[in-house]
Amino acid sequence: MPTFQIQVNGRRRQVQADADSPLLYVLRDQCELHGPKFGCGLGQCGACTVHVDGQAMRACVYPVSALGSGAQVTTLEGLGSSARPSPLQQAFIDEQAAQCGYCINGMVMQAADLLKRIPKPTEAQIREGLAMNLCRCGTHQRIVRAVQRASGQPVTA
């Protein structure tokens, strides 16, 4: 089984996996990072969203062998901790955006990507930016408010 050197949340890790193993399995099973969730396994729901070199990716369909040399992987755990959440994570907490919580990790990671690209998104841009992340609990309004709060804008949703 091939060995890969990967950078996850600023820490170098050596993992063994088949080349076509989804990054999600490596992160959860070998790195013991459970921020990325297994949702659909098809890259459609967004529960597994992580950042690869700063861009949101679906880890369930991203083969570990696709990581380039020196690629940086960031999971929810890399944004902040429960003791010191990032401003975006704190906004999700303040807006009580999580209901069952299964989608929230992916929502936070997708929102972080959005805010990196568009620091002051409109409500429409937030909705469009998160449209491919599914939430079955229906907390979409709270999620939009959390992103608005994190961007320092008035909460309108």
Side-chain angles (χ1 to χ4, degrees):
M1 189 173 294
T3 299
F4 298 92
Q5 300 286 334
I6 62 175
Q7 293 279 336
V8 182
N9 298 332
R11 188 171 156 210
R12 188 177 181 166
R13 296 180 185 251
Q14 181 174 317
V15 298
Q16 291 185 325
D18 290 328
D20 60 350
S21 291
L23 177 59
L24 176 65
Y25 297 170
V26 170
L27 294 171
R28 290 185 60 84
D29 299 340
Q30 294 192 41
C31 299
E32 298 181 355
L33 295 167
H34 298 121
K37 304 287 186 195
F38 182 88
C40 65
L42 302 171
Q44 296 176 347
C45 74
C48 64
T49 304
V50 299
H51 294 176
V52 175
D53 291 331
Q55 293 189 327
M57 298 287 175
R58 304 299 165 99
C60 72
V61 293
Y62 195 92
V64 68
S65 61
L67 291 172
S69 177
Q72 301 287 322
V73 178
T74 305
T75 68
L76 184 74
E77 294 90 340
L79 293 184
S81 66
S82 57
R84 299 186 69 192
S86 71
L88 179 59
Q89 291 169 314
Q90 187 62 54
F92 271 72
I93 293 166
D94 293 344
E95 291 295 335
Q96 299 179 5
Q99 191 164 0
C100 85
Y102 205 83
C103 72
I104 291 300
N105 297 355
M107 289 282 189
V108 170
M109 296 305 290
Q110 192 69 44
D113 179 78
L114 173 68
L115 291 174
K116 199 177 314 170
R117 290 181 288 111
I118 308 170
K120 303 282 186 197
T122 64
E123 181 178 337
Q125 289 171 318
I126 294 169
R127 291 184 185 283
E128 182 181 332
L130 300 179
M132 298 307 292
N133 285 63
L134 305 179
C135 170
R136 294 176 51 182
C137 298
T139 62
H140 297 93
Q141 291 295 102
R142 294 179 188 176
I143 292 167
V144 170
R145 286 196 308 257
V147 177
Q148 288 176 322
R149 179 186 287 251
S151 68
Q153 299 182 96
V155 175
T156 59

